[in-house]
Amino acid sequence: MSLWTNKDHRTEFDDADSLAYDSDGGRLKPWLVGAVIPFFIVLYGVTCLSSDETDISGPDGRVVAYGTAATGLVVAFIALGLFLHFHFFWRLRERLEPYAERLKLVSLIVFLGGFLFAIFHRLGLF
């Protein structure tokens, strides 16, 4: 492999593209990535919903959203947790698998709606 080629290295786009396909894993992955992590994401969203304040930390610092913009971001957080749950937990369960794809699509639409609402509200467009 050459220094100038990225043939064998995965990028963030490769990881995002893999969410469109079936998930795989043994006994631990559905419970860890499909139940525990989404539980904490949804729990954080519900906690922020009750306080009407959302905190987002990034490499440039901390951003706090209040009011309606925070509600939009909280809806996006909860939808993200549900998307992970449907992808990594429901897709690996034979009985739940037929519903997982539709629910992933619904949670993705809700995520985009909440996220875009928060951005447009913060910019003063709503």
Side-chain angles (χ1 to χ4, degrees):
M1 183 175 113
S2 171
L3 176 67
W4 303 106
T5 62
N6 196 15
K7 188 174 183 179
D8 296 327
H9 297 291
R10 293 184 55 86
T11 64
E12 290 82 13
F13 293 113
D14 294 331
D15 294 335
D17 184 50
S18 69
L19 290 175
Y21 302 107
D22 288 343
S23 57
D24 58 345
R27 291 179 180 256
L28 182 64
K29 187 174 184 178
W31 286 102
L32 181 64
V33 183
V36 174
I37 293 174
F39 172 75
F40 285 111
I41 293 173
V42 171
L43 181 66
Y44 177 71
V46 170
T47 304
C48 291
L49 191 61
S50 67
S51 69
D52 203 26
E53 177 181 310
T54 304
D55 180 27
I56 302 172
S57 299
D60 295 335
R62 180 177 168 215
V63 177
V64 179
Y66 300 98
T68 311
T71 304
L73 284 176
V74 165
V75 167
F77 283 144
I78 292 172
L80 175 66
L82 291 175
F83 177 86
L84 291 173
H85 178 67
F86 296 140
H87 181 72
F88 289 106
F89 194 83
W90 284 43
R91 292 290 294 184
L92 296 175
R93 300 286 181 248
E94 186 176 320
R95 192 178 51 147
L96 301 174
E97 195 266 333
Y99 308 107
E101 199 65 35
R102 290 186 190 115
L103 291 172
K104 279 174 46 178
L105 181 62
V106 169
S107 63
L108 183 62
I109 291 169
V110 171
F111 172 81
L112 289 174
F115 186 72
L116 292 175
F117 177 79
I119 289 177
F120 288 147
H121 188 273
R122 187 72 177 143
L123 293 174
L125 299 175
F126 278 150

